[in-house]
Amino acid sequence: MTPPRSTLLPAVGVILLGANLRPLVVAVSPLLGAIRADTGLSVSTAGLLTTLPVLCFGVLAPLAPRLGRRLGIELTLLLTMVLITAGAAVRLLQPLAALLAGTVLIGAGIAIANVLLPGVIKRDFERRVGLMTGLYTMTLFASPALAAGLSVPLERATGLGWRRVLALWGVLAVAAIIVWLPQTRRRTRVSAADTKAAARPVCGLWRNPLAWAVTCFMGLQAMTFYMVAAWLPTLLADAGMSGVTAGVMLSLSSVVGIAGAFLAPMLAGGAVRTAAIVVAGSVLYVIALGGLLVAPIAGAYLWMSLLGLGQGAAISLALLFIVQRAPDIRHAAQLSSMSQCFGYVLAALGPLALGVVHQATGGWTIPLLLVITVLIPQTLSGVLAARDGHVSGYPDEPPVEGELLAFPSSGRCQGTGPAR
């Protein structure tokens, strides 16, 4: 289904924004050897380059709805791309502090955009939620796969060095700024009273069972994803696979994940059908992890394909639940903030916990069984999140006549009470 002309440019903008939410983080991993050799970074400090952004995703997520209400969602998203561009530029500078500071800027921009983009899909593509969620999530897999696969070849082919190659991925943010800039005109100027009223968040979600189901599914799928992504190459290398091939296997899972990310929200429809996709994705995940236990080398291509499909379906459904379970964009932003704050803090702790278990046991059987165990509550929360209905929340103060209850898009959006 082709979007009408009025939504075509916003659709391209959303896809371009999504294309910037992973590459500048993922591109660090394949270049980490060159970075350490050039700067003398210790292993722990080098780990900060990949851990800091994920921590930013969780810690800064609660700020996103407030910024969106005060500045307007379009302008805030534009500023996230400016932050990402600035972070890419700062990492060009020589001091080690600049490398870490640029990484934090990138993580901050991504954290805010992560939270706000599901609300844009909710508002602008209500009749095409499945399609746009699929395209958006597909981009979340495709762009980092490109960054992981092309960063080292680009460095070797061009001789630019790791700093300039990392900065090249910032060009995507510049392109997003150019395409998204016209969208900032959609928000008209509002009065100071309306701005103050809009700053009051939707409360009550932390006591809502459906909101917690969405939050737990988001958090647990992020945790399992980062646990596997962080240690999969090491697991395969320990089984006898070359380091280069192990990296290719990780990229393969990401490439196949594109299909899972696109198909899951397109196939979802109704509580039972969506719950079945949640379960199917987890089953694929378990088969892949079980295969890695018994035949990590012989069946690697099959296990990576199944793993990618399961991971892609999970993240896509997690984002779809945020959009579907929110009655309006204001609730979508708050639910997105709640679930991603919880989710990415868990995601940052997951790889550390798996590493500790691996070190304590000296093998990969117990760590993989641990991931499979986490998939049980992940599946249960996903089935609960698939139930039809909306989360309920209310402003923390009684609304007044003319109060702005949602992000404005074209003109003032007024309301007389909390969305139900």
Side-chain angles (χ1 to χ4, degrees):
M1 183 183 297
T2 303
R5 190 170 299 177
S6 61
T7 59
L8 182 58
L9 187 60
V12 173
V14 167
I15 291 170
L16 267 176
L17 289 168
N20 282 279
L21 302 188
R22 297 297 181 269
L24 279 160
V25 176
V26 172
V28 170
S29 294
L31 294 170
L32 206 51
I35 295 171
R36 290 190 62 203
D38 184 38
T39 62
L41 285 178
S42 66
V43 174
S44 58
T45 306
L48 282 176
L49 295 177
T50 53
T51 303
L52 276 175
V54 181
L55 286 174
C56 286
F57 297 170
V59 172
L60 299 181
L63 297 178
R66 181 173 292 275
L67 286 173
R69 288 190 297 270
R70 286 193 175 277
L71 302 179
I73 193 169
E74 286 79 16
L75 179 57
T76 304
L77 284 170
L78 182 70
L79 292 176
T80 65
M81 295 299 107
V82 172
L83 275 176
I84 291 172
T85 304
V90 168
R91 292 204 297 200
L92 282 168
L93 303 177
Q94 290 297 320
L96 175 60
L99 180 61
L100 296 174
T103 300
V104 170
L105 287 175
I106 290 165
I110 295 172
I112 296 167
N114 272 340
V115 171
L116 296 183
L117 278 170
V120 174
I121 294 172
K122 173 71 178 180
R123 184 193 66 194
D124 293 346
F125 308 97
E126 192 167 5
R127 296 183 180 180
R128 298 175 179 83
V129 164
L131 173 63
M132 281 307 302
T133 302
L135 290 173
Y136 168 57
T137 317
M138 184 174 68
T139 305
L140 293 181
F141 273 84
S143 56
L146 287 174
L150 295 180
S151 292
V152 172
L154 275 174
E155 185 200 20
R156 293 176 179 174
T158 63
L160 291 174
W162 63 267
R163 293 183 187 273
R164 291 184 178 89
V165 169
L166 278 181
L168 279 177
W169 294 106
V171 172
L172 284 172
V174 176
I177 289 171
I178 294 170
V179 173
W180 193 252
L181 188 60
Q183 301 305 311
T184 60
R185 300 173 185 171
R186 297 184 63 191
R187 183 182 187 275
T188 60
R189 188 178 300 275
V190 295
S191 69
D194 280 343
T195 301
K196 182 179 179 181
R200 293 200 288 269
V202 172
C203 299
L205 292 187
W206 291 90
R207 298 190 297 274
N208 185 278
L210 184 55
W212 267 109
V214 173
T215 296
C216 288
F217 184 71
M218 169 62 82
L220 292 170
Q221 69 79 27
M223 185 180 189
T224 53
F225 176 86
Y226 282 100
M227 289 168 81
V228 174
W231 289 104
L232 181 63
T234 305
L235 182 155
L236 293 173
D238 287 351
M241 185 177 287
S242 71
V244 173
T245 306
V248 171
M249 291 298 104
L250 182 59
S251 295
L252 174 62
S253 68
S254 295
V255 171
V256 177
I258 296 171
F262 180 72
L263 290 174
M266 295 292 291
L267 296 174
V272 175
R273 189 171 177 181
T274 304
I277 297 173
V278 170
V279 173
S282 295
V283 169
L284 293 176
Y285 226 130
V286 170
I287 294 173
L289 295 174
L292 287 171
L293 275 174
V294 299
I297 305 297
Y301 284 94
L302 175 59
W303 311 143
M304 292 305 98
S305 299
L306 296 179
L307 181 67
L309 287 173
Q311 289 177 330
I315 180 60
S316 195
L317 289 174
L319 293 170
L320 181 67
F321 290 150
I322 292 173
V323 177
Q324 287 185 332
R325 300 299 157 249
D328 52 44
I329 186 174
R330 192 171 187 178
H331 283 74
Q334 289 293 142
L335 182 59
S336 183
S337 170
M338 173 181 171
S339 60
Q340 297 198 50
C341 174
F342 178 81
Y344 286 114
V345 170
L346 268 183
L349 297 175
L352 176 62
L354 200 68
V356 169
V357 173
H358 169 58
Q359 185 172 358
T361 60
W364 288 106
T365 300
I366 301 301
L368 286 178
L369 290 176
L370 175 62
V371 179
I372 291 173
T373 301
V374 175
L375 285 169
I376 297 172
Q378 175 181 317
T379 305
L380 291 175
S381 60
V383 170
L384 292 174
R387 293 178 300 171
D388 290 332
H390 289 148
V391 299
S392 60
Y394 47 85
D396 62 354
E397 293 181 24
V400 296
E401 185 177 357
E403 176 176 304
L404 193 64
L405 290 185
F407 292 108
S409 55
S410 56
R412 292 171 57 186
C413 181
Q414 298 180 344
T416 57
R420 299 293 181 191

